[in-house]
Amino acid sequence: ELDLGCGKGLLSLELARRYPDRLILGSDVMLGRLRRIERKRDRRGLENLVLLRADNLDLASYLLPHDCIDRVHLLCPDPWPKNRHRAKRLVTTEFIGRVTRLLKPGGVLHMSTDHLPYFDDWQRILAVYPALRPDPAAIADIADIQTEFEMQWRRQGKDVPHLAYRYEPAAPAR
């Protein structure tokens, strides 16, 4: 599983604890954050958590091989809500195309945001990909885990909806 932009690492650490038989990858660009997660990981003896200092777009584009991930998590990325900043948003049709290259057939894309207009944009973007099909049950096992951002937004009364889509590519033509 890949936790893109893992932040303070709550999801990555909990996934590694719950699923010791799975390899969990947590990525972030902030070295300080990764070092703090590394210390927590080591104190807890979570040998199945690997931390990567990488840009999300680079990671999805070429740093990992095709068809290598069972579940990708992208939780509360910066929504860049101002109109003049929209071009900085991570989630675009190009990005989703790159993320799907990472997913194994049957793999899951899991996303959340506190910014409802961004959430609406995601649904329009995801509708472009017929190989991605809504599957809310695909994240039922982790529905109780909240990131630090999600807890913060919920304390402020904001909704933080989650999406889960299963990757079901078409069989190659014969």
Side-chain angles (χ1 to χ4, degrees):
E1 297 197 29
L2 172 60
D3 184 5
L4 283 171
C6 65
K8 294 182 181 180
L10 195 146
L11 177 67
S12 296
L13 291 162
E14 183 58 19
L15 287 171
R17 184 192 70 77
R18 283 187 189 186
Y19 303 108
D21 57 321
R22 296 180 189 173
L23 175 62
I24 309 301
L25 304 175
S27 71
D28 208 288
V29 293
M30 305 289 286
L31 185 59
R33 285 180 182 170
L34 292 171
R35 286 186 174 149
R36 284 188 288 280
I37 299 167
E38 181 179 43
R39 287 191 293 273
K40 291 176 185 177
R41 176 199 66 192
D42 294 347
R43 278 194 309 269
R44 297 173 190 180
L46 300 171
E47 296 178 7
N48 61 327
L49 174 57
V50 174
L51 300 170
L52 307 168
R53 185 177 187 198
D55 174 80
N56 287 334
L57 191 56
D58 293 342
L59 201 58
S61 299
Y62 60 86
L63 293 176
L64 291 173
H66 289 261
D67 304 332
C68 68
I69 302 292
D70 292 306
R71 202 159 50 171
V72 172
H73 307 276
L74 180 63
L75 307 183
C76 296
D78 192 335
W80 294 100
K82 294 179 182 174
N83 281 337
R84 69 178 184 268
H85 292 155
R86 289 176 65 94
K88 295 182 180 185
R89 286 182 170 176
L90 177 63
V91 179
T92 62
T93 52
E94 177 186 0
F95 177 72
I96 295 299
R98 292 176 186 207
V99 166
T100 58
R101 112 181 156 76
L102 297 177
L103 288 170
K104 295 176 184 175
V108 173
L109 174 60
H110 169 212
M111 300 166 44
S112 72
T113 183
D114 67 300
H115 190 71
L116 296 182
Y118 199 18
F119 184 82
D120 293 340
D121 286 348
W122 290 357
Q123 292 179 305
R124 283 189 290 278
I125 290 167
L126 291 164
V128 172
Y129 290 89
L132 289 171
R133 301 212 168 99
D135 186 0
I139 56 171
D141 63 317
I142 58 169
D144 62 311
I145 304 172
Q146 294 183 13
T147 67
E148 294 81 0
F149 278 120
E150 185 169 354
M151 287 186 268
Q152 174 185 335
W153 304 139
R154 288 190 186 277
R155 281 192 300 269
Q156 294 176 14
K158 289 185 179 180
D159 188 27
V160 182
H162 288 250
L163 292 172
Y165 281 70
R166 189 163 303 276
Y167 180 57
E168 298 173 354
R174 290 188 184 214

